[in-house]
Amino acid sequence: MSLNTITDHEFEKFRRFIYEAAGITLSPAKKALVSGRLAKRVQQRELKSYGEYFRLLESGEVPDEVQMAIDLLTTNETYFFREMKHFQKLKECAMLARKRSEPFRVWSAASSTGEEAYSIAMILFETLEAFGTPWEVIGSDISQRVLERARKGHYPVERTTHISSEHLKKFCLKGVGSQQGTVLVDASLRSRVKFLHINLNTSLPQLGMFDVIFLRNVMIYFNNETKRQVVARLLTVLKPEGYFFVGHSESLNDISTAVQAVAPSIYLKP
């Protein structure tokens, strides 16, 4: 069965859908992206149009399909130790916490397939473990699909080019045979990272307080009002003197006065 091109009217419905579900603002230039990502799903459901697929989502008859559509329409791009200056700052913060009895806690708030959260865990393990300082890493995302991949911790080897040889040797297993060309994050490290399904555009679950929060390369998909709401929500669970990291192309200028810039893309909560 052939599928007609998505109409402007249908595209507008999906723009509204992903904005209401995830706070993501799609420009008109994303019309081809939306049709490309949803086409296979529409055909699998044996539907004749994108409009029929939208009506299925709207009906609420198949709740799992709504999550599927969100998964398909959210962009997930990441790699290990992306923007290394953030991890250098994280290590500095962790070193200052070595004599603490309470856990040093970090939240990767848009963790995608998990590379960021595992990068954080590698830094905390090497900085705090030998001192007996407890630590915790939470990774979260709106997409169930990427969270499943994150929990497995299994990646193509090309995704690991920014991991040092020392970290690779210590924390990753190299695939052999049918798994050649892949790496698996060691189970001892995987067990230390907890992945949760969280929509940053709704009330947060009970997470406790964090020393550092990563919210990187997500706000580029939000309009200014959504940015303000999301950042304000996350800052309620950041400890005083905690650090907040955003992507190198992002800024909290005009978004929040509750934190102070200490370097490009690095903010401190006074």
Side-chain angles (χ1 to χ4, degrees), residues 14-262:
F14 284 105
R15 282 182 74 183
R16 189 178 75 245
F17 165 79
I18 199 61
Y19 176 73
E20 291 175 353
I24 293 172
T25 302
L26 293 176
S27 71
K30 299 294 185 183
K31 185 177 174 182
L33 178 143
V34 169
S35 62
R37 291 190 176 181
L38 295 181
K40 188 175 180 181
R41 196 64 193 162
V42 175
Q43 292 170 325
Q44 286 173 337
R45 281 284 177 185
E46 299 183 347
L47 301 171
K48 296 176 183 176
S49 69
Y50 293 94
E52 283 191 10
Y53 184 61
F54 183 81
R55 284 191 288 276
L56 175 68
L57 299 178
E58 204 173 32
S59 72
E61 293 172 10
V62 192
D64 289 350
E65 193 64 39
V66 173
Q67 182 62 52
M68 175 64 74
I70 291 171
D71 287 355
L72 291 171
L73 290 174
T74 47
T75 300
N76 306 104
E77 181 191 350
T78 185
Y79 51 83
F80 286 93
F81 292 100
R82 187 177 187 177
E83 297 172 36
M84 190 61 199
K85 65 180 180 180
H86 290 157
F87 295 97
Q88 291 164 347
K89 188 65 180 178
L90 174 67
K91 187 166 187 172
E92 289 176 21
C93 297
M95 288 174 73
L96 293 173
R98 279 176 171 170
K99 294 183 179 180
R100 274 179 20 181
S101 56
E102 72 270 19
F104 186 84
R105 304 185 72 237
V106 184
W107 180 15
S108 169
S111 60
S112 186
T113 43
E115 290 93 328
E116 179 176 276
Y118 289 127
S119 300
I120 293 166
M122 290 178 195
I123 294 291
L124 298 190
F125 187 99
E126 70 174 8
T127 309
L128 298 175
E129 197 72 11
F131 292 84
T133 307
W135 55 273
E136 297 175 10
V137 178
I138 300 290
S140 71
D141 205 274
I142 194 173
S143 168
Q144 293 278 21
R145 175 175 51 93
V146 298
L147 288 171
E148 287 172 16
R149 289 173 61 192
R151 292 183 184 109
K152 291 175 183 173
H154 190 205
Y155 303 100
V157 71
E158 54 266 23
R159 299 283 279 277
T160 67
T161 52
H162 291 77
I163 303 181
S164 69
S165 56
E166 180 186 348
H167 283 149
L168 268 176
K169 188 175 180 180
K170 189 172 184 178
F171 297 114
C172 300
L173 303 171
K174 191 176 180 180
V176 296
S178 63
Q179 299 299 327
Q180 192 167 355
T182 69
V183 297
L184 180 68
V185 176
D186 189 82
S188 62
L189 195 73
R190 291 203 313 273
S191 68
R192 302 293 296 273
V193 182
K194 185 177 183 181
F195 288 101
L196 303 174
H197 180 243
I198 296 175
N199 184 344
L200 302 177
N201 283 280
T202 60
S203 298
L204 298 177
Q206 292 295 318
L207 295 170
M209 300 296 287
F210 294 92
D211 295 277
V212 178
I213 295 176
F214 285 66
L215 182 70
R216 307 193 305 173
N217 308 302
V218 181
M219 290 190 292
I220 52 174
Y221 303 107
F222 297 158
N223 63 28
N224 280 349
E225 184 53 35
T226 302
K227 289 177 188 177
R228 291 187 190 100
Q229 292 173 5
V230 169
V231 169
R233 200 170 285 129
L234 269 62
L235 288 178
T236 64
V237 294
L238 181 65
K239 293 178 182 178
E241 299 187 0
Y243 283 89
F244 194 90
F245 299 146
V246 299
H248 74 277
S249 63
E250 299 169 320
S251 167
L252 296 185
N253 293 344
D254 303 321
I255 300 301
S256 176
T257 57
V259 286
Q260 299 170 350
V262 295

